[in-house]
């Protein structure tokens, strides 16, 4: 069965400190993983997708198939990074390729 | 460029009342989805529609029905609302045939059942 685990409900860091939001997955095939961000009471926005290997707003994420992880990292956190972050795994055809989300990590960046 | 539009944004229902949440997308996407978001639970899939004319159950379909009216519109109906259905509901769409596809989400409907 496919599953996404985000072990931290809340992560609090100081401005300028490095941040890492953890995501682990279980999937029998070749995974397609995403990070979504949700600012306070707004819609979810795509932050990163592993196939594009891009860096958005200073965030990066590397797929580690050996550790089945897709951790989100940023070297220097900013106050505007405070938000809810969701890791998501694309499902198979039996779920219409729906995204399967982790429970989310709330990131709080304090001055 | 509207993307995914959901109505209403807020709704309060009494237990047993019915209502329909509307969702429309203007990106010509084949697939549409309904999720509910609850604190500590993340987003859970209620129903999805892989293409016009088809609908299927997701992880938490009980108490809901859906209609894929056409390619643009995918509605979610609560026939007899219960307090357990108090949640934020998000509609999303995607073009699954595109290897670089992403999902586009609506702004959500905040539903309270009293």
């Amino acid at each position: 069965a496919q599953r996404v685990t985000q072990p931290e409900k809340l992560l609090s860091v100081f401005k300028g400190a490095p941040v890492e939001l953890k995501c682990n997955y279980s999937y029998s095939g070749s995974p397609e993983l995403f990070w979504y961000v949700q600012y306070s009471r707004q819609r979810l926005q795509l932050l990163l997708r592993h196939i594009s290997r891009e860096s958005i707003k200073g965030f990066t994420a590397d797929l580690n198939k050996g550790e089945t992880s897709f951790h989100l990292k940023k070297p220097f956190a900013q106050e505007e990074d405070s938000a809810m972050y969701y890791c998501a795994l694309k499902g198979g055809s039996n779920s219409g390729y729906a995204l399967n989300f982790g429970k989310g990590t709330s990131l709080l960046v304090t001055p | 460029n509207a993307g995914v539009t959901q109505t209403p944004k807020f709704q309060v229902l009494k237990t047993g009342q019915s209502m329909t949440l509307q969702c429309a997308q203007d990106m010509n996407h084949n697939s549409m989805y309904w999720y509910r978001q609850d604190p500590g639970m993340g987003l859970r899939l209620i129903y999805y529609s892989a293409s016009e004319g088809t609908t299927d159950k997701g992880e938490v379909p009980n108490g809901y029905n859906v209609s894929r009216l056409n390619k643009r519109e995918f509605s979610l109906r609560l026939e007899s609302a219960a307090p357990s259905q108090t949640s934020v509901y998000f509609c999303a769409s995607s073009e699954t045939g595109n290897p670089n596809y992403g999902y586009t989400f609506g702004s959500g409907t905040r539903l309270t059942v009293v």
Side-chain angles (χ1 to χ4, degrees):
Chain A
Q2 60 186 39
R3 183 179 300 164
V4 177
T5 303
Q6 293 181 251
E8 303 137 330
K9 285 187 178 180
L10 174 65
L11 186 62
S12 183
V13 301
F14 288 109
K15 176 182 174 181
V19 62
E20 180 179 68
L21 288 83
K22 291 184 168 53
C23 172
N24 289 91
Y25 67 91
S26 62
Y27 189 64
S28 57
S30 183
E32 292 186 45
L33 288 147
F34 304 79
W35 276 100
Y36 278 81
V37 60
Q38 184 182 31
Y39 300 102
S40 181
R41 295 199 168 213
Q42 295 185 22
R43 71 183 71 199
L44 276 78
Q45 303 172 40
L46 178 64
L47 185 60
L48 288 175
R49 68 194 90 183
H50 90 272
I51 58 172
S52 57
R53 299 184 62 81
E54 56 203 340
S55 173
I56 303 294
K57 298 183 179 181
F59 285 97
T60 59
D62 288 319
L63 177 61
N64 186 324
K65 291 187 178 181
E67 296 184 357
T68 60
S69 68
F70 188 55
H71 302 329
L72 184 68
K73 300 177 183 179
K74 185 170 183 177
F76 307 103
Q78 303 299 315
E79 290 180 68
E80 56 265 30
D81 295 329
S82 295
M84 195 74 178
Y85 291 81
Y86 291 98
C87 183
L89 171 68
K90 175 187 169 185
S93 58
N94 61 350
S95 67
Y97 304 101
L99 288 177
N100 186 10
F101 287 88
K103 293 185 178 181
T105 298
S106 179
L107 175 64
L108 179 63
V109 181
T110 55
Chain B
N1 196 3
V4 176
T5 303
Q6 287 183 239
T7 56
K9 292 188 184 303
F10 302 94
Q11 184 72 49
V12 178
L13 290 178
K14 293 182 179 178
T15 297
Q17 286 185 317
S18 63
M19 79 161 295
T20 299
L21 282 65
Q22 306 287 352
C23 175
Q25 53 95 4
D26 61 3
M27 296 168 288
N28 203 37
H29 285 168
N30 286 331
S31 301
M32 298 185 74
Y33 310 86
W34 276 105
Y35 289 88
R36 59 177 289 172
Q37 183 183 40
D38 301 290
M41 299 297 292
L43 280 85
R44 292 178 293 170
L45 183 67
I46 305 172
Y47 269 93
Y48 66 94
S49 172
S51 62
E52 183 179 356
T54 68
T55 61
D56 284 286
K57 296 178 180 180
E59 181 185 356
V60 289
N62 291 345
Y64 306 95
N65 283 301
V66 290
S67 296
R68 184 74 182 266
L69 304 171
N70 47 56
K71 193 170 186 179
R72 291 187 63 250
E73 299 172 290
F74 187 40
S75 62
L76 178 71
R77 182 160 179 84
L78 287 71
E79 291 291 351
S80 180
S84 60
Q85 294 178 304
T86 293
S87 187
V88 181
Y89 292 86
F90 286 99
C91 177
S93 70
S94 75
E95 181 49 70
T96 52
N98 184 339
N100 294 315
Y101 87 96
Y103 282 64
T104 301
F105 282 83
S107 57
T109 295
R110 192 169 293 271
L111 175 66
T112 302
V113 183
V114 298

